[in-house]
Amino acid sequence: MRDDPAEPAYRRGLVLITAVVTLTGVLWAALAPPFRAPDEPQHVNSVLRLAYGGGWPAAGEALVSPAVDVARAQAELATDLPGRHFDRVDAPPFMAIPPVPDRDRPVVDAGNALADPLPAGTSTRHLPKTAVDQMTQHPPLYYAVAALVLRGTGLAEARWDHQLLALRLFDVALLLPVPLLAAAAARRLSGSRPAALVAASFTLFVPQAGHIMGSVTNDALVTLSGAVITYLCVVVLGGDLRARTAVWLGLALGVGLLTKVMVAFALPMVAAAYLVAPGSRARRLRGTLLAGAVALVVGGWWWLRNLLVLGTVQPVGIPDRFAEGEPAGLWHFLRTGVTLLTRSFFGNFGWLELRIPDGVFWTAAVTIGVLAVIAMVRLPDTRRAVGVLLMLPAALWLAVLVNTWPDYQETGLIIAVQGRYLFAGLAALSVTTALGAAALLGPRIGRAAPWLVGAACTAAASGLAFGFWGFYQGPASTVADAAARWAAWSPLTGPQLAVLVSVLVLAAVAAVLACGLFARSTSLAETTAAPQPRAATTAAGTGSSA
């Protein structure tokens, strides 16, 4: 490994791809208008409550603070973005509202960060929906860590837009390890460095991931937890049945479970990884039980307590207040639900109102599906591992649809179907699609890696451009007008935003070039190296350039 001339080139490529993924999240954090991401005001409100010692009320009893109320009003969330899929009759256009000047954006402090207590005998059911913070239906870990970030950076008392940007950047920091973990998992399974580079770049093919991970949301910690769990499952599948590995896996599960219930759907993947891993039955059983016990102690207890005390796994944070209709049957539910889930996985920006074209997200979804099948069919050595990893995104996908089915039967509405609920499986999809690409291309994967990484960067740029157009430009204004409006809404200045865009472009170009140099160095190494038995390379599982 130390004498392999392609290894330094591989590492440079991986570092630069990770930089592009991270900078893409940073640009999304700066691009999205204030609070224009799902439930972002409530997420921020819960962070502020913990930062100011307001505790964690029972589900349905938390209120939105005066500071967040003012900030939400200044953000003009009741308006329609210029790129919205349809204009509401009773909503003014966002373009018609002048941005609030920086000097008029109030500071959050002890006087406005906490809501007044709910009067005795009063139910939040009788309050406006916007007055209730439903996030206390979740465990508090993400919000507690984010509150420490505000306190540690001195931003607990600051302008609301500065706090919002800081918390968004905290979530981007949680995104940074995801491409590294995906690359490490892909390389462990395949021994292929080009496949690892493709796996690292996968998140760029999912613009919604950059948007969500560049917003304030507990899904950021869920996504990181899912990536760590996926990598450790690959380690187990490679035969690592040590107690230490099981403890780390249990910790990752526990952190995820103390964040959101979606991580519970990783449990079948973990159990399956130990079930098919090489080694004695006793060691595999010990690893399964140890990982499960640690997960229960760290985070699983929250959901067990809910079940024992409240009679439900996850209580309702705020009762739904939608007009009821009649369900139109199973086929309508499946067709509409799958479309909503697929579109919002790849690109429903803002509060899901900026919809990328149907042909784009369906093409992306079919491509992922085909590559996953190819990885299962054409890679017999890793077929079991691919099947195990696919259990996580499949379980999440099925759980989202099953969860909303009772509401649909009762009200005729399909709600709580959002692609971000699948992001715990991002790393698993990264690995399986990269392995599918490697199986499809064979030895050409090395030469194809720069092109695939370039395509990923193009997809990310296209998503950002679509977001810029939909947030600030629309069909009736110029790019210059939109850029000026972006700068006016942002806590950053126009020159600062220009520098951020330029750095991302340079990083993307450098990443593609680095992958090209890696492909060239790999080709040279293959030409000059003495022939070695294929079986020995496969057994080693490292250093293969294919």
Side-chain angles (χ1 to χ4, degrees):
M1 178 71 67
R2 194 174 302 167
D3 299 328
D4 185 352
E7 184 65 19
Y10 162 75
R11 292 179 180 176
R12 283 193 295 271
L14 180 58
V15 167
L16 286 166
I17 291 171
T18 303
V20 174
V21 172
T22 306
L23 287 169
T24 299
V26 171
L27 189 52
W28 273 111
L31 177 66
F35 298 118
R36 290 281 182 169
D39 299 323
E40 199 171 32
Q42 289 82 358
H43 288 300
V44 172
N45 187 74
S46 283
V47 172
L48 291 174
R49 188 189 318 108
L50 290 181
Y52 280 89
W56 201 249
E61 296 182 8
L63 300 179
V64 173
S65 70
V68 174
D69 261 339
V70 172
R72 184 166 51 188
Q74 290 191 338
E76 298 290 348
L77 293 186
T79 60
D80 279 351
L81 295 174
R84 199 177 194 277
H85 61 283
F86 72 90
D87 292 329
R88 294 170 293 182
V89 176
D90 57 344
F94 183 61
M95 298 286 286
I97 306 296
V100 176
D102 289 355
R103 64 181 179 274
D104 294 333
R105 300 177 189 183
V107 170
V108 177
D109 56 26
N112 59 14
L114 296 177
D116 293 331
L118 194 66
T122 303
S123 170
T124 55
R125 181 180 292 273
H126 304 299
L127 297 177
K129 185 175 181 179
T130 54
V132 183
D133 177 358
Q134 73 270 31
M135 293 307 146
T136 55
Q137 68 182 330
H138 303 299
L141 179 60
Y142 165 81
Y143 305 96
V145 177
L148 289 175
V149 169
L150 285 186
R151 284 293 181 187
T153 56
L155 289 171
E157 188 169 319
R159 267 177 29 198
W160 64 262
D161 56 331
H162 288 167
Q163 290 181 335
L164 180 63
L165 181 58
L167 291 173
R168 285 179 171 184
L169 293 178
F170 163 63
D171 282 11
V172 174
L174 298 179
L175 171 64
L176 190 153
V178 173
L180 297 173
L181 290 165
R187 189 173 180 184
R188 270 183 173 266
L189 279 179
S190 67
S192 169
R193 288 175 296 202
L197 294 176
V198 173
S201 68
F202 176 84
T203 303
L204 298 172
F205 283 108
V206 186
Q208 185 77 3
H211 173 45
I212 294 299
M213 298 296 284
S215 69
V216 185
T217 173
N218 57 3
D219 291 302
L221 187 52
V222 170
T223 302
L224 175 58
S225 299
V228 175
I229 294 165
T230 298
Y231 171 73
L232 290 173
C233 281
V234 170
V235 173
V236 170
L237 288 163
D240 187 341
L241 301 178
R242 292 176 297 174
R244 182 176 67 180
T245 302
V247 169
W248 281 113
L249 189 46
L251 284 172
L253 281 165
V255 167
L257 288 171
L258 204 54
T259 305
K260 201 168 187 176
V261 73
M262 308 310 295
V263 178
F265 297 99
L267 292 172
M269 178 179 72
V270 173
Y274 275 105
L275 179 65
V276 304
S280 70
R281 179 180 300 177
R283 293 186 67 200
R284 289 186 282 123
L285 179 60
R286 184 190 68 179
T288 305
L289 295 177
L290 182 55
V294 173
L296 178 63
V297 169
V298 175
W301 63 269
W302 178 276
W303 307 103
L304 181 60
R305 183 213 61 164
N306 282 353
L307 191 59
L308 295 176
V309 176
L310 305 176
T312 182
V313 174
Q314 177 167 295
V316 176
I318 179 172
D320 294 325
R321 305 177 190 187
F322 301 105
E324 296 186 5
E326 290 293 328
L330 177 61
W331 172 243
H332 170 80
F333 171 80
L334 290 175
R335 184 185 66 215
T336 306
V338 170
T339 299
L340 289 173
L341 193 56
T342 307
R343 179 193 288 118
S344 58
F345 178 81
F346 288 102
N348 260 28
F349 308 131
W351 281 63
L352 308 182
E353 67 259 56
L354 301 186
R355 299 180 175 180
I356 62 173
D358 289 6
V360 174
F361 70 81
W362 281 124
T363 299
V366 170
T367 300
I368 289 175
V370 168
L371 290 176
V373 171
I374 290 174
M376 288 282 289
V377 172
R378 298 185 61 176
L379 295 175
D381 292 341
T382 57
R383 182 174 297 154
R384 283 188 174 183
V386 170
V388 169
L389 295 187
L390 286 174
M391 290 178 70
L392 177 54
L396 290 166
W397 186 89
L398 186 62
V400 171
L401 294 177
V402 169
N403 180 66
T404 196
W405 172 249
D407 287 330
Y408 172 73
Q409 287 184 303
E410 182 178 346
T411 67
L413 299 173
I414 300 176
I415 56 177
V417 176
Q418 297 187 32
R420 61 192 171 100
Y421 298 152
L422 309 182
F423 285 173
L426 266 179
L429 289 174
S430 302
V431 175
T432 54
T433 53
L435 264 59
L440 179 65
L441 296 171
R444 294 171 294 174
I445 183 64
R447 294 188 297 275
W451 296 96
L452 294 174
V453 172
C457 292
T458 301
S462 299
L464 286 163
F466 187 85
F468 172 79
W469 175 85
F471 289 140
Y472 301 106
Q473 185 178 0
S477 63
T478 66
V479 172
D481 291 337
R485 188 168 182 79
W486 176 22
W489 276 106
S490 174
L492 301 178
T493 65
Q496 288 171 331
L497 295 173
V499 168
L500 181 56
V501 172
S502 300
V503 170
L504 175 56
V505 171
L506 290 175
V509 172
V512 175
L513 291 177
C515 291
L517 291 174
F518 163 72
R520 185 170 181 272
S521 64
T522 302
S523 179
L524 289 174
E526 289 175 343
T527 303
T528 58
Q532 296 184 8
R534 182 176 180 85
T537 304
T538 304
T542 58
S544 171
S545 58

